Amino acid sequence: MVEKNITVGGQELAYRESAGGGRSVVLVHGNSSSSRTWHALVDGPFGERFRCLAVDLPGHGASAPAADAEAYSLPGYAATLAGFMAATGAADAVVVGWSLGGHIALEAAPRLPAAAGFVIFGTPPVSSPAQLADAFLPNPAIGVGFSAEVDGEAARAYAESFVAPGSTLPLTEFVADILATDGAARAGLQASLGAGRFLDEVEIVAGLTRPLAVLQGEGEQLISLDHLRTIPMPTLWRGEVLVLPGAGHAPQEEAPEEFAAVLAEFVADLP
Protein backbone atom coordinates (compact mmCIF):
# COMPACT_ATOMS: atom_id res chain seq x y z
CA MET A 1 0.00 0.00 0.00
CA VAL A 2 1.25 3.48 -0.91
CA GLU A 3 -0.04 6.74 0.58
CA LYS A 4 -0.47 9.50 -2.00
CA ASN A 5 -1.88 12.99 -2.40
CA ILE A 6 -3.77 14.63 -5.26
CA THR A 7 -5.57 17.92 -5.85
CA VAL A 8 -9.09 17.68 -7.27
CA GLY A 9 -11.02 20.86 -8.02
CA GLY A 10 -8.73 22.81 -5.71
CA GLN A 11 -9.26 20.31 -2.86
CA GLU A 12 -6.24 18.50 -1.47
CA LEU A 13 -7.03 14.82 -1.00
CA ALA A 14 -5.05 12.00 0.54
CA TYR A 15 -5.57 8.43 -0.59
CA ARG A 16 -4.12 4.95 -0.32
CA GLU A 17 -3.37 2.81 -3.35
CA SER A 18 -2.80 -0.94 -3.22
CA ALA A 19 -0.20 -2.90 -5.15
CA GLY A 20 -2.67 -4.81 -7.31
CA GLY A 21 -2.84 -4.34 -11.05
CA GLY A 22 -6.31 -5.71 -11.76
CA ARG A 23 -9.60 -3.85 -12.12
CA SER A 24 -9.73 -0.56 -10.21
CA VAL A 25 -11.87 -0.51 -7.07
CA VAL A 26 -12.57 2.89 -5.49
CA LEU A 27 -13.35 2.74 -1.77
CA VAL A 28 -15.37 5.53 -0.15
CA HIS A 29 -15.50 5.61 3.65
CA GLY A 30 -18.31 6.78 5.89
CA ASN A 31 -19.08 9.83 8.01
CA SER A 32 -16.26 10.71 10.44
CA SER A 33 -14.10 7.87 9.17
CA SER A 34 -11.10 7.68 6.83
CA SER A 35 -9.33 5.47 4.31
CA ARG A 36 -7.87 3.63 7.31
CA THR A 37 -11.10 1.64 7.60
CA TRP A 38 -10.17 -0.24 4.40
CA HIS A 39 -6.73 -1.37 5.62
CA ALA A 40 -7.56 -5.10 5.65
CA LEU A 41 -8.87 -4.90 2.09
CA VAL A 42 -6.11 -2.69 0.69
CA ASP A 43 -3.23 -4.49 2.41
CA GLY A 44 -4.57 -8.04 2.02
CA PRO A 45 -4.98 -10.47 -0.89
CA PHE A 46 -7.80 -8.38 -2.38
CA GLY A 47 -5.51 -5.37 -2.67
CA GLU A 48 -2.76 -7.51 -4.12
CA ARG A 49 -5.14 -8.62 -6.87
CA PHE A 50 -7.05 -5.41 -7.63
CA ARG A 51 -6.00 -1.77 -7.86
CA CYS A 52 -7.68 -0.39 -4.74
CA LEU A 53 -7.95 3.38 -4.32
CA ALA A 54 -9.14 4.40 -0.84
CA VAL A 55 -9.72 8.14 -0.64
CA ASP A 56 -9.96 10.37 2.42
CA LEU A 57 -12.97 12.64 1.92
CA PRO A 58 -12.47 16.39 2.49
CA GLY A 59 -12.03 17.11 6.19
CA HIS A 60 -11.49 13.43 6.98
CA GLY A 61 -8.33 11.43 7.60
CA ALA A 62 -5.27 13.10 6.08
CA SER A 63 -7.23 15.21 3.57
CA ALA A 64 -7.37 18.96 4.03
CA PRO A 65 -10.51 20.58 5.43
CA ALA A 66 -12.83 21.93 2.77
CA ALA A 67 -12.31 25.57 1.84
CA ASP A 68 -15.89 25.74 0.56
CA ALA A 69 -18.82 24.57 2.70
CA GLU A 70 -20.45 23.13 -0.44
CA ALA A 71 -17.84 20.36 -0.38
CA TYR A 72 -19.50 19.02 2.79
CA SER A 73 -22.85 18.42 1.07
CA LEU A 74 -23.79 15.26 -0.81
CA PRO A 75 -23.55 17.06 -4.19
CA GLY A 76 -20.15 18.40 -3.15
CA TYR A 77 -18.86 14.99 -2.08
CA ALA A 78 -20.18 13.47 -5.32
CA ALA A 79 -18.30 16.04 -7.39
CA THR A 80 -15.14 15.26 -5.40
CA LEU A 81 -15.54 11.52 -5.97
CA ALA A 82 -16.13 11.91 -9.71
CA GLY A 83 -13.14 14.22 -9.98
CA PHE A 84 -10.95 11.85 -7.98
CA MET A 85 -11.84 8.89 -10.19
CA ALA A 86 -11.10 10.87 -13.33
CA ALA A 87 -7.81 12.21 -11.98
CA THR A 88 -6.57 8.76 -10.96
CA GLY A 89 -7.55 7.03 -14.21
CA ALA A 90 -10.27 5.05 -12.47
CA ALA A 91 -13.39 6.26 -14.28
CA ASP A 92 -14.30 2.64 -15.06
CA ALA A 93 -13.80 1.39 -11.50
CA VAL A 94 -16.10 -0.52 -9.22
CA VAL A 95 -17.30 1.99 -6.61
CA VAL A 96 -17.64 0.68 -3.06
CA GLY A 97 -19.33 2.97 -0.54
CA TRP A 98 -19.77 2.43 3.18
CA SER A 99 -22.52 4.35 5.01
CA LEU A 100 -22.18 8.00 3.92
CA GLY A 101 -19.80 6.69 1.25
CA GLY A 102 -22.66 4.68 -0.24
CA HIS A 103 -24.87 7.75 -0.40
CA ILE A 104 -22.01 9.61 -2.11
CA ALA A 105 -21.66 6.77 -4.62
CA LEU A 106 -25.38 6.95 -5.47
CA GLU A 107 -25.29 10.75 -5.70
CA ALA A 108 -22.30 10.47 -8.03
CA ALA A 109 -23.70 7.64 -10.18
CA PRO A 110 -25.13 9.95 -12.89
CA ARG A 111 -21.65 11.52 -13.17
CA LEU A 112 -19.97 8.12 -13.55
CA PRO A 113 -21.25 6.61 -16.80
CA ALA A 114 -18.18 4.38 -17.17
CA ALA A 115 -18.25 2.91 -13.65
CA ALA A 116 -18.37 -0.89 -13.85
CA GLY A 117 -20.66 -1.40 -10.87
CA PHE A 118 -21.56 -0.23 -7.39
CA VAL A 119 -21.41 -1.82 -3.94
CA ILE A 120 -23.12 -0.09 -1.02
CA PHE A 121 -23.48 -1.19 2.59
CA GLY A 122 -24.70 0.59 5.68
CA THR A 123 -26.51 2.76 3.13
CA PRO A 124 -30.32 2.91 2.84
CA PRO A 125 -31.37 4.67 -0.40
CA VAL A 126 -33.87 7.43 0.38
CA SER A 127 -35.96 9.68 -1.84
CA SER A 128 -36.45 12.62 0.55
CA PRO A 129 -35.68 13.83 4.09
CA ALA A 130 -39.10 12.51 5.18
CA GLN A 131 -37.97 8.95 4.41
CA LEU A 132 -34.94 9.10 6.70
CA ALA A 133 -37.00 8.02 9.72
CA ASP A 134 -37.99 4.80 7.94
CA ALA A 135 -34.51 4.12 6.62
CA PHE A 136 -32.60 4.46 9.88
CA LEU A 137 -33.12 2.66 13.16
CA PRO A 138 -33.87 4.81 16.24
CA ASN A 139 -30.34 4.74 17.65
CA PRO A 140 -29.42 7.91 19.61
CA ALA A 141 -25.79 7.57 18.54
CA ILE A 142 -26.76 8.69 15.02
CA GLY A 143 -26.94 12.26 16.28
CA VAL A 144 -23.20 12.31 16.90
CA GLY A 145 -22.64 12.03 13.16
CA PHE A 146 -24.27 15.45 12.68
CA SER A 147 -22.65 17.28 15.61
CA ALA A 148 -19.92 19.84 15.00
CA GLU A 149 -18.50 19.35 18.50
CA VAL A 150 -17.77 15.76 19.57
CA ASP A 151 -15.94 14.75 22.74
CA GLY A 152 -14.33 11.42 23.57
CA GLU A 153 -17.43 9.97 25.23
CA ALA A 154 -19.67 10.84 22.29
CA ALA A 155 -17.10 9.52 19.83
CA ARG A 156 -17.00 6.19 21.62
CA ALA A 157 -20.80 5.94 21.66
CA TYR A 158 -20.84 6.60 17.92
CA ALA A 159 -18.11 4.01 17.35
CA GLU A 160 -20.04 1.43 19.36
CA SER A 161 -22.94 1.81 16.93
CA PHE A 162 -20.65 0.75 14.08
CA VAL A 163 -20.22 -2.80 15.35
CA ALA A 164 -22.61 -5.64 16.19
CA PRO A 165 -23.86 -5.84 19.78
CA GLY A 166 -21.38 -7.77 21.89
CA SER A 167 -18.53 -7.25 19.42
CA THR A 168 -15.00 -7.42 20.82
CA LEU A 169 -13.48 -5.42 17.96
CA PRO A 170 -11.31 -2.62 19.40
CA LEU A 171 -12.86 0.80 18.86
CA THR A 172 -9.70 2.89 19.30
CA GLU A 173 -9.16 3.62 15.60
CA PHE A 174 -12.83 4.37 14.97
CA VAL A 175 -12.73 6.88 17.84
CA ALA A 176 -9.52 8.47 16.58
CA ASP A 177 -11.04 8.96 13.12
CA ILE A 178 -14.19 10.51 14.57
CA LEU A 179 -12.24 12.97 16.72
CA ALA A 180 -9.90 13.88 13.83
CA THR A 181 -12.76 14.75 11.45
CA ASP A 182 -13.50 18.41 10.77
CA GLY A 183 -16.63 19.19 12.79
CA ALA A 184 -17.84 21.41 9.97
CA ALA A 185 -18.14 18.28 7.80
CA ARG A 186 -20.73 16.79 10.15
CA ALA A 187 -22.63 20.08 10.52
CA GLY A 188 -22.54 20.65 6.76
CA LEU A 189 -23.92 17.18 6.10
CA GLN A 190 -26.80 17.77 8.50
CA ALA A 191 -27.65 21.08 6.85
CA SER A 192 -27.64 19.63 3.34
CA LEU A 193 -29.70 16.57 4.27
CA GLY A 194 -32.23 18.62 6.22
CA ALA A 195 -32.67 20.91 3.23
CA GLY A 196 -33.16 17.95 0.92
CA ARG A 197 -30.05 18.79 -1.08
CA PHE A 198 -29.51 15.34 -2.52
CA LEU A 199 -30.77 13.35 -5.47
CA ASP A 200 -33.63 10.86 -5.21
CA GLU A 201 -31.59 7.74 -4.40
CA VAL A 202 -34.57 5.41 -4.78
CA GLU A 203 -34.99 6.70 -8.32
CA ILE A 204 -31.27 6.30 -8.99
CA VAL A 205 -31.13 2.63 -7.96
CA ALA A 206 -34.35 1.94 -9.86
CA GLY A 207 -32.78 3.34 -13.02
CA LEU A 208 -29.28 1.91 -12.74
CA THR A 209 -28.15 -0.09 -15.75
CA ARG A 210 -25.02 -1.40 -14.04
CA PRO A 211 -24.81 -4.09 -11.35
CA LEU A 212 -25.51 -2.99 -7.78
CA ALA A 213 -24.59 -5.06 -4.72
CA VAL A 214 -26.26 -4.16 -1.43
CA LEU A 215 -24.82 -5.66 1.74
CA GLN A 216 -25.96 -5.47 5.36
CA GLY A 217 -24.39 -6.72 8.57
CA GLU A 218 -26.59 -9.14 10.49
CA GLY A 219 -26.01 -7.11 13.68
CA GLU A 220 -26.56 -3.71 12.04
CA GLN A 221 -27.55 -1.08 14.64
CA LEU A 222 -28.23 1.92 12.39
CA ILE A 223 -29.91 0.83 9.14
CA SER A 224 -33.32 -0.78 8.63
CA LEU A 225 -33.13 -4.01 6.65
CA ASP A 226 -36.90 -3.90 6.19
CA HIS A 227 -36.54 -0.55 4.43
CA LEU A 228 -33.82 -1.89 2.13
CA ARG A 229 -35.99 -4.81 1.10
CA THR A 230 -38.85 -2.54 -0.02
CA ILE A 231 -36.79 -0.65 -2.61
CA PRO A 232 -37.02 -1.71 -6.28
CA MET A 233 -33.48 -2.37 -7.54
CA PRO A 234 -33.62 -4.00 -11.00
CA THR A 235 -29.86 -4.61 -11.26
CA LEU A 236 -29.48 -5.91 -7.70
CA TRP A 237 -26.69 -8.49 -7.60
CA ARG A 238 -28.02 -11.97 -6.82
CA GLY A 239 -31.50 -10.49 -6.54
CA GLU A 240 -31.36 -9.76 -2.82
CA VAL A 241 -29.75 -7.74 -0.07
CA LEU A 242 -26.90 -9.94 1.16
CA VAL A 243 -26.78 -10.23 4.95
CA LEU A 244 -23.31 -10.79 6.39
CA PRO A 245 -23.24 -12.81 9.62
CA GLY A 246 -21.01 -11.80 12.50
CA ALA A 247 -20.95 -8.14 11.56
CA GLY A 248 -22.79 -4.90 12.19
CA HIS A 249 -22.47 -1.57 10.41
CA ALA A 250 -18.78 -2.05 9.55
CA PRO A 251 -18.27 -5.56 8.09
CA GLN A 252 -15.09 -4.41 6.32
CA GLU A 253 -13.50 -4.37 9.80
CA GLU A 254 -15.63 -6.86 11.74
CA ALA A 255 -15.49 -9.67 9.16
CA PRO A 256 -12.76 -8.56 6.72
CA GLU A 257 -12.08 -11.93 5.09
CA GLU A 258 -15.74 -12.65 4.44
CA PHE A 259 -16.29 -9.09 3.20
CA ALA A 260 -13.33 -9.32 0.81
CA ALA A 261 -14.57 -12.66 -0.51
CA VAL A 262 -18.03 -11.28 -1.32
CA LEU A 263 -16.53 -8.20 -2.96
CA ALA A 264 -14.19 -10.37 -5.08
CA GLU A 265 -17.17 -12.46 -6.21
CA PHE A 266 -19.04 -9.33 -7.24
CA VAL A 267 -16.08 -8.07 -9.26
CA ALA A 268 -15.66 -11.48 -10.88
CA ASP A 269 -19.31 -11.51 -11.95
CA LEU A 270 -19.06 -8.19 -13.80
CA PRO A 271 -19.16 -8.28 -17.61
Side-chain angles (χ1 to χ4, degrees):
M1 181 272 294
V2 179
E3 296 182 0
K4 298 184 177 182
N5 293 279
I6 195 169
T7 300
V8 175
Q11 171 70 45
E12 296 179 16
L13 299 173
Y15 68 101
R16 304 180 185 205
E17 183 169 353
S18 73
R23 186 189 289 272
S24 294
V25 179
V26 172
L27 305 166
V28 191
H29 64 75
N31 182 1
S32 300
S33 184
S34 77
S35 59
R36 176 212 58 78
T37 197
W38 306 108
H39 67 91
L41 203 65
V42 173
D43 296 333
F46 187 91
E48 294 173 357
R49 179 180 177 187
F50 301 104
R51 181 195 180 212
C52 293
L53 299 163
V55 63
D56 282 336
L57 294 170
H60 295 72
S63 287
D68 182 352
E70 173 64 15
Y72 289 148
S73 67
L74 275 178
Y77 283 130
T80 296
L81 173 59
F84 172 77
M85 291 174 63
T88 55
D92 59 350
V94 175
V95 183
V96 181
W98 170 47
S99 197
L100 170 62
H103 292 289
I104 295 169
L106 294 179
E107 182 85 15
R111 302 170 183 253
L112 303 172
F118 297 88
V119 180
I120 61 174
F121 62 105
T123 302
V126 292
S127 58
S128 68
Q131 203 173 39
L132 292 171
D134 294 328
F136 289 86
L137 299 174
N139 190 321
I142 289 178
V144 177
F146 302 109
S147 301
E149 302 294 331
V150 174
D151 60 19
E153 182 179 354
R156 184 168 184 83
Y158 193 35
E160 287 175 348
S161 74
F162 294 172
V163 298
S167 171
T168 59
L169 183 73
L171 302 177
T172 305
E173 292 184 322
F174 281 130
V175 171
D177 277 346
I178 294 165
L179 294 175
T181 299
D182 182 7
R186 289 185 289 264
L189 180 62
Q190 181 187 40
S192 66
L193 291 178
R197 294 194 59 244
F198 57 92
L199 297 178
D200 184 333
E201 297 170 346
V202 174
E203 182 178 298
I204 287 172
V205 297
L208 271 183
T209 57
R210 288 151 290 168
L212 169 68
V214 181
L215 315 179
Q216 174 100 331
E218 184 180 31
E220 172 69 64
Q221 297 192 64
L222 300 176
I223 309 304
S224 169
L225 181 59
D226 289 340
H227 170 80
L228 282 174
R229 287 173 168 164
T230 66
I231 300 172
M233 295 182 269
T235 63
L236 184 62
W237 184 53
R238 296 187 175 173
E240 63 179 340
V241 177
L242 296 186
V243 178
L244 304 179
H249 191 62
Q252 77 279 16
E253 297 204 47
E254 296 172 272
E257 292 182 3
E258 293 82 354
F259 179 82
V262 170
L263 192 55
E265 291 171 7
F266 175 76
V267 176
D269 283 350
L270 293 173

